[in-house]
Amino acid sequence: MKKLMAANWKMFKTRAQAQQTANELLGLIDGKLPSDREVLIFPPFTALSEVAEAMRGKQGCAFGAQNFYPREDGAFTGEISPAMLKDAGCTWALAGHSERRWVFGEDDALVGEKVAYGLNQGLRMILCIGEKIEERKAGKLSQVIAEQLQKGLAGIKDITPGDLAIAYEPVWAIGTGEVAGPDEILDAHACVRKELAEILGDTAMETPILYGGSVKPDNASAIIALDNVDGVLVGGASLLAESFSRIVLA
Ligand code: PGA
């Protein structure tokens, strides 16, 4: 299973900035990317074509969308469809990122619809899950993980290994500089793997589980080395090519 080194640029970067960062990043990792790693970039929609251009002909790289609406087309002002994203060259998409859940009010049912619809349309999906600090303090970590996975994967039937990944991102560690400790990551990822086995059977072992939440160049290699950690999803530290290249090669 390849390790997925994913950059989530959120609502940052003009087209020119995206182009520059992507080119610089690809230059920095050129010839150094281990064959068992894949680089994914999730730029804002407006910069998809610049990232596509930068990645043209490059091995081990792909890009995708941070969000979409799970319909083919229609009167959905402000939304974008998987078909449009594929037309722009996207092969991946995120669903259930904590900012979608907690800033924009997306619930597990909508997240589940997105995962199922995206897969059905031929996108590879990263389902993001993670507990809030109150939930962790109340001892509800495994309950939250189980629920978000069950509902997030409710609509899927047969899954082709490689089409689905999970990102475990504790909400309290996103953008806060507070990274989960090794034991916390080990525990949570073991719990995700166990729950995935119940939902997906054997495919669970071939489903990458990424960690996200304040991953930086200086903690990336220790995180990547942990059991059941098959990659990282990086926000802040992915915005600069230099820092993200150090994470990718960590
Ligand atoms: P962060 O964001 O690396 O800035 O904590 C991670 C994410 O939101 O995916």
Side-chain angles (χ1 to χ4, degrees), residues 8 10 94 97-99 128 169 173-177 212-216 233-238:
N8 174 10
K10 308 191 180 187
L94 305 179
H97 189 278
S98 74
E99 285 142 23
C128 306
E169 302 198 291
I174 296 180
T176 58
S214 298
V215 175
K216 306 279 182 246
L233 179 55
V234 187
S238 75

Side-chain angles (χ1 to χ4, degrees), residues 139-211:
K140 291 188 179 155
L141 174 67
S142 51
Q143 187 188 324
V144 171
I145 286 176
E147 231 175 83
Q148 290 184 347
L149 285 175
Q150 281 160 17
K151 293 181 180 165
L153 300 175
I156 69 168
K157 294 174 202 83
D158 294 329
I159 177 106
T160 309
D163 280 359
L164 174 72
I166 307 298
Y168 168 69
E169 302 198 291
V171 178
W172 47 273
I174 296 180
T176 58
E178 192 169 345
V179 63
D183 290 341
E184 291 169 323
I185 298 177
L186 281 169
D187 257 19
H189 281 233
C191 177
V192 172
R193 186 77 73 200
K194 182 167 162 278
E195 190 59 39
L196 277 180
E198 277 173 36
I199 302 170
L200 301 175
D202 292 346
T203 313
M205 289 312 293
E206 298 171 83
T207 302
I209 306 173
L210 282 57
Y211 170 79

